[in-house]
Structure formats: C-alpha cells, structure tokens
Amino acid sequence: MSALDYDATGLGSEYEVDTTILSPPQRSNALATKLSTILSTSFADADIREALRTLDERGTQNTPEFRRRLRLDAQREVIERNGDIIKDFGHVAEQLKRIGSTIDSLNRCCEDLRQHVATAHRETGPVLEEATTLFIRKQEIDTKKQILDAFNAHFVISDDDLESLISPNTPVDDRFFTNLPRLKKVHKDCQVLLGSENQQLGLELMDKSSRDLNAAFQKLYRWIQKEFRNLNLENPQMNASIRRSLRVLAERPTLFQSCLDFFAESRERNLSDSFYAALTGTSSNSQAEDLTTKPIEFNAHEPLRFVGDLLAWTHSATVSERESLEVLFVSEGDEIAKGIRAGIESEPWSQENVEAFDGRKSLEQLVNRDLAGVARALRQRVEQVIQSDEDPVLAYKIANLIDFYRVTFDRLLGTDSSVLVTLSALQQSALRQHRTTMQEHVNAVAAHVPKISPGLNVPKFLAEALDRLKELMKSYDSSLAPPESRDAGFMPILADSLDPYLNVCEKMASKAEEPSQTIFSINCLLAAQSSLSQFDFTSERVSEIDDTVDEYVSKLVEYQHAFFLHMSGVHPLLAALAPLTETDEDLKKISGLEPFQKQALIDASQILDEFLPSALMDAMENLRLLKNSRMAEDVTSEAASLFCEDFRFVERKLLAADALYTKGENETDDASDHLAKFSLRTLFPRTSGEIRVLLS
C-alpha cells in the first residue's frame, strides 16, 4: 500500500501513544483535533506530496510497527546525516587551515617581493627617467628624419638625375623628360618655403632650382638644334623625340622662337640647295654631279615645260615641307600652346611680345620662311625665261600656268606667303610681256598696212592673230578662273590680241569700194567670230561681233537693193513717183513725168525684161567673195523683197493713174489729148506677182 493510501488513522498513528495517557474527554478532544488537522491538510501541498513520494521510494509498509518507528527513524536518519555533514565540514576546515597557511606563506612572499620591487624601483627610477627622455628624443629624431627624408625626396634632385638634366655628355632621353617635370615642381614648390619664418632655405633652393632649370632648357635647346642639323634634307620627318622636345621647349618662348628661327634658316638653305640641285643636277655647295636626279635645265627644252617643271618641283617641295611640319604644328599645336602660356606666366616680361600660338598660322609662316630662298631663285629663273622669248602666246601660257599654281599655293599656304607674292609678280610680268609683244606685232602691221587681196580674203596678219588667239583661249579655258568672272577676265586679252588687228582691217577696208569694203569687213569679222565661238567665255564678244556684222549686212542689203533698182531700170520710175501722194492731182501728174513718157516707159519695160532672167545670178555675183554663202543668199533675198515692194509701189501708182484716166474719159469728151494718147499699164505690163516669182 502506498503512502497516499494511508487513511486518517494511519496518518495519525504517531499520536496514539500520547492519547493513552489522556483522560477520556481529553482523548476525545485531541483526537478530534488531529482528525480536523488531518482532514484540513491539502494534498496539493508540494512538501506533503514530496514527503509521501519519499516514503514510497523507501518501500515502507503501512504497518503499526512502522508507523510507531517512523518518527524515530526519521530523526535518527536526520542525526546521521547531520553527522556526516559535520564530518565533511571537518575535512573542509582542515583544508581551509592548510589554505590559510598557504595564503600566509604567499603573503609573506608577496611582501618580500614588494620590498624587492620597491628597492629595484628606487634603484632603477633614474634609469627609467633617462630612458624615457631618450625615447622621447628618439621619437623627435625619427620625426625629423622622416621630415628630412620627405624634404630630400621632394626638394632635392639626386646627382645622377641632375647630371641627366644639365650635363652635355648625357643624352636627352626618357630619363631627361622624367626628371625635368620633377625639377619644375621643386622650383614651383619653393614658393611655399618662402612663406615660412626662415626663408633662407627657400631662397637657396629656388636659386639652385632656377639655375638647374635654365641649364636643362639650354641643354634641350642645343640638342634640338643639333637634331635639326641632322634631319633628312629631302624629306625631314619630325620624330616623336623632337616633337616631345619642342612641346617642352615651348615653356621658354624665347628659346622656342630662336629654335624655330634656326630651323627656318637651316631649311631655307637646304631647300635652296635642293632647288639648285634639281635645276642643274649639282649641289650649290659642291660641283659633283648628282646622278639620282635629272636636271630640269637639261631635260626641259621648251620654255613652258621648263617653267612648269620649276613650279611643279616647288609645289612638290612645299607639300612635302608642309606635311613634314604639319605633324608638329597641328597635331601638337594644343600642347605647344599650353607650353607657351606656361612660359609666359614664368616670363611675365615677355607677355607683350608673344602672341597666342596658332598651330595652322605658325605652320604657314614656317613653311613660308623655309621657301623664301626657293621663291627668290624661282623668280629669277622664270623672269629670265619670260624676258628671253618674244612669243606673246608663250608669255600668256606661262602667265596662265603661273596663275594655276598661284591658286594652288593660295589654298596651300595662304595669301601672305612669299611664294604667292612671287607668283603674282611673275604672272604680272608674263602678262606685261604678252601685252608688250602683242603691241610690237600690232605696230609692225600698222606701220605697213597691206592692201586688200583680190579675193577679199582674211589678211595673213589677222589669220595669224586668230591662230594665236585660239592658243590663248585654249590656255585660258584650262585655267582656274572663277566661273562668274571668266567672261570679264578674258576681255583684256581680247582687247590686246584681237581689237588692234580688227582696227587695221577697218583701215584696209576704208580704201576699197563697195561692196568690197563691206564684204572684206564681214569676212574678217566672221573669221574672228568663228574662232571666238568655240569657247563659252567669249559669248559677250561674239554677240558684239554679231551686231557689227548685222550692220554690215544691212549695208549689203542696201547695195543689193540699189543694184536691183538701177539694173532693172525701176529706179527712175521710183524716184519720180516718190514725192507724189495718192491724191488725184498728183496722180494726174504721173503721165507728164519724163520717166513715164511713152518711149521712156517702153525702154524701162525692155530693160526690166532683159534684167529679170539673170537678176538673181547677177546679184549673187556681187557677193561671190563673201565667205558665208548662206549670208549672201539671205542678203540677196532680202534685197529682192525690198525691190518687189518698190515695184509694187510703182505698179499701184500706174494702176491708179490709168484708173483715173479711164474715169475722166468716161465723164467728159474734152479731156486732155495727152490723157487719151496711151495707157501706162500697157506700156509697162510687168506685174509685181511676176517679179516676185522670177526673183524668188
């Protein structure tokens, strides 16, 4: 049975021994009390439950004996447990005693150590103070050393690096360009040291760095000059090192400009020598023949080809020179400009004399200076050619050739180039020579004006002049004259090359009779027109000649018209009828006029009949020497038309007079005798229709 199964009696058995000695009433009260206590006990109490569980674990039996001994056993067990605890605490106390002894020993040792430490501290105190002082001094020295190392690393250039900058025995290489910016930075940073209390160091460093920097730039300047001397004279290539050196040297504008001046002088001499070698096959500095080039002087036999070869060589040299220098002044222009601005800041006294750097402009100026010697030699040679030949066509071709290259050089070098000035002067010289020789030819012709040939042909001098003019026009047509001014540009040439000869032809024609005078003039003008019409830039002059030819054609029409009138016998009739009007009074006068007398009118009719069959052939014979047969036909046709109109006028007058006579005869019988004698129409029977058919 478990301890939880104990009833009230069992739980209260420990009180039975006591109740036996009580009186009945007391036993009753005590029992009641116990029962009340037991009954009031809550089995939910954790202590009671734990006590009951402990009894279960012991395996006890719910017997009276056990219940009587339960208390004693519990107390005994408690006493035993307490005894064990006391024994264990005894061991602990012994251990604590031993620990206490050990602690005492340790305390004594610590005290001894403390005394030893105090003694050592007293003895080592001065040493520690000295060590601390030394440590602080060491830190200060280390700091100063770091500052000094940093100062030396920043402001001090090593001897090897300095030697690479200023020594003439070391090359200008990458090491030079690496150390130079460092030296410039040292010089610039020295200004910071000048702001400190002690400026002596800054002044000394700035003075030294300035001397070293100037020496470095002087070395670079001399090296560039040396490189310029060793450049390939035929095709100088500005390599990377020279371009880099010039970019750096630009920081010293004075040295940079001096270097460019030296280069320009050197290139001028070299190009002049090359020009002389190309011209003669030998160098100006040596009489040894250069077998690699064909001398222009010996291979260009014609003057025009000689001048063309000279100009072509000059153009080729200019292009090569420009391409060689373009890499420097165009691709590196911004860097050089930056360097010059930096140099101006470092040399403020030169600001007024230094302009802003323009790569394109500097390139053109340098090429212009390089070609100055070539331009002088070119002018001398070409002027010799121009003055030595008296052919006006050649002079004009040379002028056009020079103008072609002048336009080319204008695009290549700009308007301020010495080559362009030289070419402009040569062109004007060639044109002057052309005008002079043309005037000499004209004067020679005018001094001995020839007679008109029997065939009214174009005179020889005009034919030669037109041939020359054709050559001039071909040359001008191939030139680079602007389209908007081509017509006006050739007018002065026409005035010099054509007009004087036409004036001579007019003088020749003035000595001839008509129609030879007019036919000769037309033939000359047609020949000139035929030559001019081949080119579009002479259209204005061709139009002027057309107008002049039309005037001469009008004269021929008048001549042919007069020929028809006189040879046909109609002229006396027309002259007599011209002052009369259409009134009856004037019409009555016709039969009384001398040309309208019977015999005279019969003779006029007979002359007309004889003339008409061969009228056109006879008229065309007058113009047989006119070179334009179509024009001769047109002139004759127009003159025939005018003649038909005149004949129609005469016919109307005759018919009107006859009608008036017939009307008067019908009205009165005593009309005048002479009115009834004959009919004008009967005596002059030809009609205008017949005339027009015969002359068509």
Side-chain angles (χ1 to χ4, degrees):
M1 183 180 69
S2 65
L4 294 176
D5 294 335
Y6 288 123
D7 54 8
T9 304
L11 292 172
S13 61
E14 59 180 333
Y15 299 103
E16 291 181 356
V17 177
D18 296 332
T19 58
T20 56
I21 62 174
L22 295 177
S23 60
Q26 292 178 341
R27 286 197 302 272
S28 177
N29 291 334
L31 181 61
T33 301
K34 288 183 178 290
L35 288 173
S36 299
T37 301
I38 292 170
L39 291 175
S40 62
T41 300
S42 175
F43 293 98
D45 188 4
D47 293 338
I48 295 176
R49 295 178 65 85
E50 186 64 28
L52 294 176
R53 188 176 290 106
T54 301
L55 289 176
D56 287 341
E57 291 175 356
R58 289 176 176 272
T60 58
Q61 299 293 326
N62 189 13
T63 61
E65 182 63 22
F66 178 76
R67 288 195 296 272
R68 284 193 298 272
R69 296 186 60 85
L70 178 59
R71 184 183 183 95
L72 294 176
D73 292 339
Q75 290 178 349
R76 185 176 64 253
E77 187 174 351
V78 170
I79 292 171
E80 291 176 355
R81 294 290 185 271
N82 290 336
D84 294 336
I85 291 172
I86 291 171
K87 184 184 291 183
D88 292 336
F89 272 105
H91 293 297
V92 172
E94 291 178 0
Q95 294 294 331
L96 290 175
K97 288 180 180 180
R98 287 196 293 272
I99 291 172
S101 299
T102 303
I103 291 173
D104 292 337
S105 299
L106 290 174
N107 288 333
R108 287 192 298 273
C109 291
C110 289
E111 184 63 26
D112 293 338
L113 290 174
R114 190 178 294 109
Q115 292 176 358
H116 287 297
V117 169
T119 303
H121 183 69
R122 287 192 301 272
E123 294 176 355
T124 58
V127 177
L128 290 176
E129 292 179 359
E130 184 179 359
T132 301
T133 303
L134 293 175
F135 183 73
I136 294 173
R137 290 180 61 188
K138 179 178 179 300
Q139 288 181 336
E140 293 176 353
I141 292 173
D142 290 341
T143 302
K144 291 180 179 179
K145 183 176 182 301
Q146 292 177 358
I147 295 174
L148 180 61
D149 292 341
F151 181 85
N152 290 334
H154 190 80
F155 287 98
V156 178
I157 306 296
S158 66
D159 293 340
D160 293 339
D161 292 341
L162 191 59
E163 184 179 4
S164 68
L165 287 173
I166 64 176
S167 175
N169 299 324
T170 57
V172 177
D173 51 10
D174 292 339
R175 186 181 179 188
F176 177 89
F177 293 108
T178 301
N179 293 327
L180 185 60
R182 183 184 172 194
L183 181 59
K184 290 189 290 186
K185 183 173 178 57
V186 169
H187 180 74
K188 181 178 180 181
D189 292 344
C190 286
Q191 298 176 2
V192 179
L193 298 178
L194 296 177
S196 61
E197 295 181 358
N198 187 4
Q199 298 180 355
Q200 184 64 29
L201 179 60
L203 292 173
E204 292 178 357
L205 284 176
M206 179 167 284
D207 181 61
K208 185 177 183 305
S209 62
S210 297
R211 291 196 305 270
D212 294 341
L213 202 57
N214 291 332
F217 277 108
Q218 287 292 336
K219 176 184 176 180
L220 182 62
Y221 169 70
R222 290 190 296 271
W223 181 84
I224 292 176
Q225 286 186 326
K226 179 181 177 182
E227 290 297 315
F228 280 160
R229 292 192 191 98
N230 298 328
L231 286 177
N232 187 348
L233 300 180
E234 294 299 329
N235 188 19
Q237 296 296 327
M238 305 300 292
N239 55 38
S241 61
I242 295 180
R243 296 201 307 270
R244 185 180 184 183
S245 301
L246 286 175
R247 289 200 306 269
V248 175
L249 190 64
E251 298 180 13
R252 290 293 187 270
T254 304
L255 295 178
F256 180 76
Q257 187 60 43
S258 177
C259 194
L260 291 185
D261 294 341
F262 174 83
F263 175 75
E265 294 173 0
S266 176
R267 289 303 301 153
E268 181 181 356
R269 291 192 299 270
N270 295 338
L271 288 175
S272 299
D273 186 65
S274 299
F275 179 81
Y276 185 82
L279 185 65
T280 63
T282 58
S283 173
S284 61
N285 299 325
S286 174
Q287 297 302 321
E289 184 176 358
D290 187 3
L291 300 178
T292 60
T293 59
K294 295 181 179 180
I296 297 176
E297 228 170 24
F298 303 137
N299 287 277
H301 304 291
E302 299 177 358
L304 184 63
R305 181 183 174 185
F306 177 74
V307 174
D309 289 348
L310 290 181
L311 293 173
W313 186 94
T314 304
H315 178 262
S316 176
T318 302
V319 172
S320 299
E321 191 77 6
R322 182 182 177 88
E323 289 177 351
S324 300
L325 300 180
E326 193 170 18
V327 178
L328 170 65
F329 288 97
V330 177
S331 62
E332 305 293 341
D334 293 339
E335 296 298 328
I336 293 178
K338 293 178 181 178
I340 290 179
R341 285 195 296 270
I344 292 175
E345 294 177 358
S346 63
E347 298 178 0
W349 57 86
S350 64
Q351 291 185 6
E352 297 180 357
N353 300 325
V354 180
E355 299 180 355
F357 182 80
D358 185 350
R360 292 281 182 186
K361 184 178 179 181
S362 298
L363 172 64
E364 293 175 356
Q365 291 176 350
L366 187 57
V367 174
N368 180 38
R369 294 176 62 185
D370 295 348
L371 295 171
V374 174
R376 291 191 296 270
L378 177 68
R379 182 170 185 171
Q380 179 183 4
R381 292 288 181 167
V382 175
E383 283 186 344
Q384 289 177 357
V385 174
I386 294 173
Q387 300 299 329
S388 63
D389 201 298
E390 296 183 356
D391 184 2
V393 176
L394 176 62
Y396 185 74
K397 287 183 177 180
I398 291 176
N400 266 347
L401 180 63
I402 294 174
D403 183 64
F404 170 80
Y405 279 98
R406 182 188 63 80
V407 175
T408 304
F409 277 101
D410 188 12
R411 298 171 182 171
L412 188 63
L413 299 178
T415 56
D416 298 332
S417 171
S418 60
V419 176
L420 195 65
V421 174
T422 299
L423 293 179
S424 298
L426 289 175
Q427 183 185 13
Q428 295 301 322
S429 176
L431 291 176
R432 283 195 302 271
Q433 180 69 9
H434 165 74
R435 287 191 293 269
T436 301
T437 52
M438 287 300 302
Q439 188 62 41
E440 291 176 357
H441 280 269
V442 172
N443 294 337
V445 173
H448 302 87
V449 178
K451 295 181 179 180
I452 298 177
S453 64
L456 303 182
N457 296 317
V458 175
K460 183 179 179 180
F461 69 85
L462 180 60
E464 293 176 353
L466 292 178
D467 290 338
R468 287 194 296 268
L469 183 59
K470 289 180 182 178
E471 295 296 325
L472 296 178
M473 289 188 293
K474 289 179 181 179
S475 178
Y476 184 79
D477 190 47
S478 62
S479 67
L480 297 179
E484 63 275 5
S485 61
R486 284 175 65 85
D487 292 2
F490 196 69
M491 283 300 177
I493 305 301
L494 287 176
D496 295 334
S497 305
L498 179 62
D499 293 349
Y501 296 100
L502 293 179
N503 293 334
V504 174
C505 291
E506 290 181 2
K507 292 181 180 179
M508 294 174 60
S510 63
K511 299 178 182 180
E513 300 292 337
E514 289 292 352
S516 297
Q517 176 181 351
T518 303
I519 292 175
F520 177 75
S521 298
I522 291 177
N523 288 340
C524 294
L525 291 174
L526 290 178
Q529 185 185 49
S530 176
S531 299
L532 294 176
S533 60
Q534 300 176 17
F535 302 92
D536 57 352
F537 51 83
T538 59
S539 58
E540 184 177 348
R541 188 56 191 275
V542 170
S543 178
E544 294 177 0
I545 293 178
D546 282 337
D547 296 339
T548 306
V549 170
D550 290 341
E551 294 177 1
Y552 284 117
V553 167
S554 299
K555 291 183 179 181
L556 285 181
V557 171
E558 293 176 0
Y559 177 83
Q560 290 289 75
H561 182 210
F563 172 79
F564 279 117
L565 291 176
H566 287 86
M567 297 305 295
S568 64
V570 176
H571 182 267
L573 304 178
L574 184 63
L577 294 175
L580 300 181
T581 63
E582 298 292 333
T583 63
D584 292 346
E585 183 179 356
D586 286 344
L587 292 176
K588 290 178 181 180
K589 295 178 182 179
I590 293 177
S591 60
L593 297 175
E594 181 178 355
F596 292 93
Q597 298 303 312
K598 183 175 182 180
Q599 187 58 43
L601 200 57
I602 292 172
D603 294 340
S605 178
Q606 185 177 357
I607 293 172
L608 178 62
D609 291 339
E610 293 175 354
F611 169 72
L612 286 176
S614 62
L616 286 178
M617 296 179 62
D618 294 341
M620 289 295 296
E621 183 67 17
N622 295 332
L623 305 181
R624 72 184 186 280
L625 299 180
L626 186 62
K627 300 305 179 182
N628 190 333
S629 58
R630 176 71 177 180
M631 182 181 292
E633 294 175 359
D634 293 341
V635 168
T636 303
S637 176
E638 186 175 353
S641 298
L642 294 176
F643 175 75
C644 291
E645 293 296 328
D646 293 339
F647 190 87
R648 175 63 179 165
F649 174 77
V650 173
E651 182 185 24
R652 289 199 309 270
K653 292 290 186 179
L654 294 178
L655 292 175
D658 285 344
L660 182 61
Y661 299 155
T662 303
K663 179 181 178 182
E665 186 178 14
N666 294 333
E667 291 179 354
T668 177
D669 293 335
D670 55 350
S672 299
D673 292 339
H674 69 276
L675 291 176
K677 288 180 180 180
F678 58 88
S679 171
L680 298 177
R681 183 60 173 169
T682 303
L683 299 177
F684 200 77
R686 287 289 183 181
T687 65
S688 59
E690 293 174 348
I691 298 298
R692 193 175 298 277
V693 170
L694 291 173
L695 296 181
S696 63

